[in-house]
Amino acid sequence: MLTDPLFWLVAIPAVLITGMSKSGFAGGAGGLTVPLLALAISPATAAAVMLPLLVYMDFLSVRSWWGKQNTAQLWILLPAAIVGIVVAYLLFDQLNEQYLRGILGVISLGFGIYGLTLGEWAQRKPSALIGRMCGTIAGFTSFVAHAGGPPLNAYLIPLRLAKTEYLGTAVVFFAVINLVKLIPYSMLGQINLSNLLISASLAPIAWIGVKLGLRIQDKFDEKQFKTIILSLMIIVGLRLLWTAFNP
């Protein structure tokens, strides 16, 4: 894999974008990573390679946002997310590579369309029940594709939290669930020496992405950047669905 030019062609921009997203810039953009990597490697391997990198990026970004999170909302979201992770773990062995590509394609396509069309429509403040539902979905999609951003945003954005409180809550939420995911990923044999070596080779790119995201937050048109990423999610989602149904 490390000698495959196609892997590096998709891995470098994917990890860079994820690092920028982890910094709090263009939240949800990291959902592109696993679908993009799955164009070059198996979806399960793509998710496994990214998890240690996500934990590393969480460590870098949490320090900047700690203390700004809404603890009450985290108590609503996190237990539900853990339920979603457990459900995904129990179903994981039933999914072959073709099914995983199909799921990734649906997630990428659906979240891309949601972000471009419906993401700004929510007006009413959601209830705690809606928060638990979104948290469960975020845990499931985060386990499968590290793509928990859209379900989380569907709940957090209508709450109209201050920007720093919203970002702090999202950053801490994903830091916790990524640590939790290490347990089932290890039980599935996905955290192994081969995948860890690939993760380590991409760690400098992850560091650059986080630092770049923190630096350009107030200097770059975030909305335009997110539009580009969401459009890419739709394209990648369609491609994954094509490969899933035409193996």
Side-chain angles (χ1 to χ4, degrees), residues 123-127 158-160:
Q123 296 295 326
R124 295 181 58 187
K125 291 187 178 182
S127 65
L159 292 176
R160 302 180 184 87

Side-chain angles (χ1 to χ4, degrees), residues 144-214:
V144 174
H146 305 314
L152 180 68
N153 287 340
Y155 174 66
L156 286 183
I157 289 176
L159 292 176
R160 302 180 184 87
L161 303 174
K163 182 179 179 180
T164 54
E165 188 179 10
Y166 158 72
L167 290 173
T169 303
V171 167
V172 173
F173 173 82
F174 286 115
V176 173
I177 66 170
N178 284 330
L179 284 174
V180 171
K181 286 188 297 187
L182 286 172
I183 299 171
Y185 267 58
S186 298
M187 293 170 66
L188 290 167
Q190 295 291 84
I191 305 297
N192 54 52
L193 181 59
S194 175
N195 289 339
L196 286 173
L197 287 174
I198 299 169
S199 301
S201 69
L202 290 167
I205 306 298
W207 182 87
I208 292 171
V210 173
K211 297 301 180 182
L212 182 61
L214 288 170

Side-chain angles (χ1 to χ4, degrees), residues 1 7 37 41 44-53 195 198-199 202:
M1 191 185 307
F7 169 75
L37 285 175
I41 58 179
T45 301
V49 165
M50 280 306 303
L51 184 55
L53 287 170
N195 289 339
I198 299 169
S199 301
L202 290 167

Side-chain angles (χ1 to χ4, degrees), residues 20 32 51 73 81 92-93 111 118 140 163 180 189 215 235-236:
M20 294 170 68
L32 176 66
L51 184 55
Q73 296 302 330
F92 190 81
D93 283 338
F111 288 169
L118 302 178
F140 184 90
K163 182 179 179 180
V180 171
R215 183 175 293 273
I235 294 170
V236 171

